[in-house]
Amino acid sequence: MSQTNEAPEAAIVLDRVNKWYGAMHVLRDVSITIGKGERVVVCGPSGSGKSTTIRCINRLEEHQQGRIVVDGTELTNDTRALDTIRREVGMVFQSFNLFPHLTILENCTLAPIQVRKMPKAEAEELAMSYLRRVKIPEQAKKYPLQLSGGQQQRVAIARALCMKPKIMLFDEPTSALDPEMIKEVLDTMVGLAETGMTMVCVTHEMGFARQVANRVVFMDRGEVVESGTPHEMFENPQTERLQTFLSQILRGH
Amino acid sequence: MSGQTATIIGTASAAREQPPASLVGPWAWARRNLFGSWWSSAVTILLGYLIVRWAWGFIDWAVINAVWSVPVASNPLDTAAPCRQMAGVGACWAVIGDKWRFILFGRYPYDQQWRPALCILLFIALYGVSANRAFWRKELLYIWVATLAVIAFLMWGGVLGMDYVAQDQWGGLPITLILATFGLAFAFPLAVVVALGRRSTQLPAVKFLCVGYVELIRGVPLISLLFMASVMFPLFMPEGLNPDKLLRAQIAIILFAAAYLAEVVRGGLQSLPKGQYEAADALGLSYWQKTLKIILPQALRMVIPPLVNNFISFFKDTSLVLIIGIFDLLTAGKVAMADPTWTGFSTEIYLVLAAIYFVFCYAMSHYSRSLERKFSRARNR
Ligand SMILES: Nc1ncnc2c1ncn2[C@@H]1O[C@H](COP(=O)(O)OP(=O)(O)OP(=O)(O)O)[C@@H](O)[C@H]1O
Ligand SMILES: [Mg+2]
């Protein structure tokens, strides 16, 4: 395993990461360093490579050039390194991706039992505590398709938390939800941010970014164009691309 | 006052929830679907007439004019005389009464036929237990192994004071059930492995092997596989190392069925959204954990109807072993028809054979429908 010389408090380091789909260059020299406990919001127009970037962090996509170091472990073809990283990184998807054949409780206990080898009773207790935290303990015995979208997404968050990850990734967690359900999910995420979790969140919810993000990263056409605190970014955008993007977002909302 | 209003509104909306009586019930259904127009009325009447006529003719032949039994004649060739008088007018069920043990058990020693009979019951009990979801746990595997062992022990005998019965004396329904049960019990897991292998991205050699296997087997008819197993295969085997004919046919059926089932299973794997794989990966599940806990349970549920469709067709395809001289249910029936005493009454025997096949196949399809209903209920509500 290669030596890392970044500051020890870095949770995630992306160092000149490049990725191509066939001939299409979708990530161009993306470099982002995220400290432990930091909360980063990634935004940018559609197709700019936001999803690809955060999916590279737990290797749902493979990068082809550059270095990705997560929690001190570099992502290589070594499967053991990958197993370690996936255990420490939780992910929440736009389309929830709950397992429809398992109950809510089973969705939450599966990975702790299988991957962490936790005894079933302990896993269930843990799952119930997280389900209480996302405010749906009473749904534990139901199946995912019996729940509303907002409830499903909260279960997905609880499911990821049950692995006790050090880092949480969110890929547009509220984009598939009806407006009245967005708030319940965002509230859950704000609550999570208050616990000091390291979070990387792709979202267009600027209110959320303002409230919890330490830093906003703006991507366009596969590049990191600008990054800074929410205040700097939204009140005083430096690049024309970000200005255009922000005006579009504001018009859209 | 307000209570009164509420009642009125209540009845009004209740009345609206129920369509008027003229729109529901069998009469309304018939009027809508069978007599919707003069053209559809004409077709209904014509088909109705044909069905009633045919059904009446069949009952006349099969029940009213049928010969149910015949007295014992001094000359065996005269036994069927009462039947021959009614030939073409009434069915001769007496042939079944005389031949049923041969049809069911073939040339198995007559006084030992309680053994294959017990095997048939064991098979049916095994199916019954397996169909019950309360038994879907690890122990079911042991039940299968134990039951199949007991069946082998009953059929062969040779221990515990039971006479040894060589395999070439076995016949009838037990052979059909053995071929179908062992066939599907081994073909199904093989099919799952092949389907997984065919989708493997990490192991190109495995993938190549699985694709080759499926394409090769699907490219030849079962009959030629059976011929290969019975005629060609022994040529390549060293002397003395020659598994018996039934086993060779069994292997051919397993290989054949697995190739088809693998494609069905692959369809199920492909229909799963990519997000399911990604969610399992993101949680850190290993390949086998992901496959066994997330992917297969969903993929297999989705393909229950085509799977059962294949099961049913393989159950009937086992009758092709007739052409390599294995004594299954159909072969036993054909041999029974050839008995000079009963020549000319093959229709009755065919009907009984068809009824036996039908019972098993219908049970499978009925069960698959109930399974589908159960799963869809668990998932949606
Ligand atoms: N599997 C794939 N094969 C080929 N091209 C892909 C694939 N996935 C993404 N792309 C392309 O890569 C580019 C970046 O995609 P990505 O999904 O990361 O964008 P995004 O910023 O998340 O957009 P959105 O806001 O629409 O989710 C896009 O041009 C997209 O078309
Ligand atoms: Mg995206």
Side-chain angles (χ1 to χ4, degrees):
Chain A
M1 202 159 293
S2 69
Q3 194 62 39
T4 58
N5 47 10
E6 281 83 18
E9 52 275 359
I12 304 169
V13 179
L14 301 175
D15 183 16
R16 279 161 296 158
V17 171
N18 280 279
K19 177 169 177 66
W20 289 263
Y21 279 120
M24 190 167 46
H25 199 172
V26 292
L27 295 185
R28 301 162 189 259
D29 276 336
V30 171
S31 295
I32 307 172
T33 302
I34 297 167
K36 289 208 170 116
E38 203 178 356
R39 296 175 295 279
V40 173
V41 162
V42 181
C43 63
S46 181
S48 57
K50 309 177 297 289
S51 297
T52 310
T53 303
I54 76 163
R55 288 158 61 87
C56 278
I57 295 172
N58 64 352
R59 205 161 244 220
L60 291 182
E61 307 286 352
E62 254 174 72
H63 62 290
Q64 284 132 1
Q65 253 180 32
R67 257 164 24 97
I68 299 180
V69 181
V70 181
D71 194 34
T73 310
E74 175 162 3
L75 266 177
T76 56
N77 282 325
D78 179 14
T79 51
R80 243 171 317 139
L82 181 59
D83 288 345
T84 318
I85 289 173
R86 283 188 174 160
R87 229 170 288 165
E88 302 306 334
V89 178
M91 183 155 193
V92 175
F93 300 85
Q94 181 176 349
S95 50
F96 326 140
N97 295 347
L98 294 176
F99 305 129
H101 63 301
L102 301 178
T103 62
I104 300 307
L105 189 63
E106 289 164 342
N107 264 277
C108 293
T109 56
L110 180 75
I113 291 174
Q114 298 286 327
V115 181
R116 293 235 190 258
K117 309 291 174 211
M118 196 182 278
K120 189 167 175 238
E122 193 185 328
E124 284 181 351
E125 206 173 302
L126 180 74
M128 286 312 295
S129 79
Y130 280 114
L131 287 175
R132 270 193 293 277
R133 218 160 96 187
V134 301
K135 305 202 172 58
I136 33 178
E138 71 283 358
Q139 312 282 2
K141 292 275 176 268
K142 287 198 185 166
Y143 286 87
L145 297 183
Q146 297 170 271
L147 269 53
S148 75
Q151 290 174 322
Q152 288 190 52
Q153 193 61 298
R154 283 185 281 150
V155 171
I157 294 172
R159 175 177 74 176
L161 291 177
C162 281
M163 279 296 281
K164 299 202 172 154
K166 294 182 181 150
I167 298 166
M168 284 285 284
L169 308 175
F170 295 83
D171 190 358
E172 305 206 31
T174 55
S175 303
L177 296 177
D178 294 336
E180 70 270 21
M181 296 174 188
I182 290 177
K183 189 175 176 306
E184 64 188 50
V185 171
L186 288 181
D187 285 348
T188 308
M189 292 169 63
V190 170
L192 183 61
E194 282 161 2
T195 67
M197 174 73 72
T198 309
M199 291 166 68
V200 185
C201 183
V202 176
T203 183
H204 292 163
E205 296 294 332
M206 292 306 152
F208 173 77
R210 258 182 236 275
Q211 191 179 348
V212 306
N214 307 100
R215 192 145 53 99
V216 175
V217 173
F218 171 64
M219 290 186 72
D220 190 16
R221 288 180 230 148
E223 292 174 309
V224 174
V225 177
E226 214 180 314
S227 80
T229 64
H231 186 77
E232 288 164 6
M233 295 284 282
F234 298 150
E235 311 309 329
N236 191 14
Q238 300 295 307
T239 58
E240 202 187 309
R241 284 200 251 175
L242 178 54
Q243 284 162 10
T244 325
F245 174 72
L246 288 175
S247 65
Q248 275 164 356
I249 286 259
L250 293 179
R251 220 179 307 133
H253 278 249
Chain B
M1 175 66 208
S2 67
Q4 211 175 357
T5 329
T7 327
I8 292 166
I9 292 171
T11 25
S13 63
R16 233 176 289 122
E17 272 160 25
Q18 299 253 318
S22 61
L23 293 180
V24 291
W27 284 115
W29 181 89
R31 200 169 332 136
R32 208 164 42 239
N33 293 297
L34 301 178
F35 301 98
S37 65
W38 72 265
W39 166 242
S40 111
S41 306
V43 171
T44 302
I45 290 169
L46 180 68
L47 286 181
Y49 169 72
L50 290 176
I51 290 170
V52 168
R53 236 197 96 161
W54 182 86
W56 180 248
F58 181 80
I59 291 170
D60 202 36
W61 175 82
V63 181
I64 297 176
N65 292 326
V67 179
W68 296 93
S69 61
V70 289
V72 183
S74 50
N75 179 355
L77 285 181
D78 292 338
T79 310
C83 277
R84 293 197 196 286
Q85 281 167 6
M86 295 299 280
V89 183
C92 174
W93 299 120
V95 62
I96 306 299
D98 192 38
K99 286 286 174 192
W100 68 273
R101 285 186 57 167
F102 186 81
I103 294 171
L104 281 184
F105 307 120
R107 289 174 303 203
Y108 206 90
Y110 197 79
D111 58 338
Q112 298 287 321
Q113 284 179 357
W114 60 271
R115 283 155 56 179
L118 201 54
C119 288
I120 293 172
L121 294 181
L122 276 174
F123 270 122
I124 292 172
L126 186 60
Y127 304 149
V129 168
S130 313
N132 190 338
R133 287 187 69 197
F135 291 103
W136 287 12
R137 45 172 82 222
K138 213 178 273 147
E139 288 79 358
L140 187 58
L141 190 66
Y142 307 139
I143 294 181
W144 268 74
V145 172
T147 311
L148 295 182
V150 170
I151 286 172
F153 160 77
L154 278 171
M155 291 300 285
W156 260 301
V159 278
L160 293 184
M162 284 197 295
D163 290 345
Y164 173 72
V165 179
Q167 185 260 299
D168 53 8
Q169 287 179 283
W170 302 4
L173 186 56
I175 292 279
T176 294
L177 294 181
I178 287 171
L179 286 172
T181 310
F182 280 90
L184 292 173
F186 284 93
F188 182 59
L190 180 60
V192 170
V193 171
V194 170
L196 290 172
R198 194 167 177 172
R199 282 174 58 82
S200 155
T201 45
Q202 309 288 323
L203 307 165
V206 170
K207 177 174 179 168
F208 181 78
L209 210 68
C210 293
V211 173
Y213 162 72
V214 169
E215 297 306 332
L216 203 68
I217 298 279
R218 283 204 305 179
V220 289
L222 178 56
I223 291 198
S224 47
L225 271 184
L226 288 171
F227 265 126
M228 263 194 268
S230 86
V231 184
M232 274 169 63
F233 186 67
L235 300 179
F236 304 132
M237 289 302 279
E239 199 106 4
L241 220 170
N242 206 346
D244 65 49
K245 195 154 74 171
L246 185 65
L247 181 57
R248 279 180 274 140
Q250 180 76 81
I251 291 172
I253 287 174
I254 291 172
L255 291 180
F256 184 77
Y260 278 86
L261 294 176
E263 285 301 281
V264 173
V265 174
R266 188 167 70 100
L269 294 175
Q270 257 162 358
S271 67
L272 268 201
K274 209 163 135 251
Q276 293 289 307
Y277 291 85
E278 291 178 348
D281 284 338
L283 285 168
L285 296 175
S286 72
Y287 174 80
W288 285 110
Q289 289 168 342
K290 171 175 73 174
T291 303
L292 294 176
K293 299 283 175 185
I294 307 297
I295 306 304
L296 283 178
Q298 296 186 66
L300 294 181
R301 270 168 218 205
M302 252 181 273
V303 294
I304 290 172
L307 271 182
V308 173
N309 192 32
N310 275 288
F311 280 16
I312 289 175
S313 99
F314 293 129
F315 184 83
K316 293 177 295 180
D317 281 355
T318 57
S319 59
L320 284 173
V321 297
L322 175 98
I323 57 136
I324 57 168
I326 287 177
F327 225 83
D328 78 323
L329 182 62
L330 183 63
T331 315
K334 296 282 274 188
V335 172
M337 290 168 205
D339 183 338
T341 311
W342 295 104
T343 44
F345 300 107
S346 51
T347 312
E348 288 81 351
I349 295 182
Y350 274 129
L351 277 175
V352 166
L353 294 179
I356 295 174
Y357 277 108
F358 179 81
V359 166
F360 283 98
C361 294
Y362 182 76
M364 274 193 265
S365 91
H366 183 80
Y367 176 63
S368 103
R369 260 176 294 144
S370 78
L371 208 55
E372 264 175 78
R373 264 198 308 275
K374 235 177 238 163
F375 281 144
S376 66
R377 208 180 310 138
R379 287 222 289 168
N380 297 333
R381 197 98 322 258

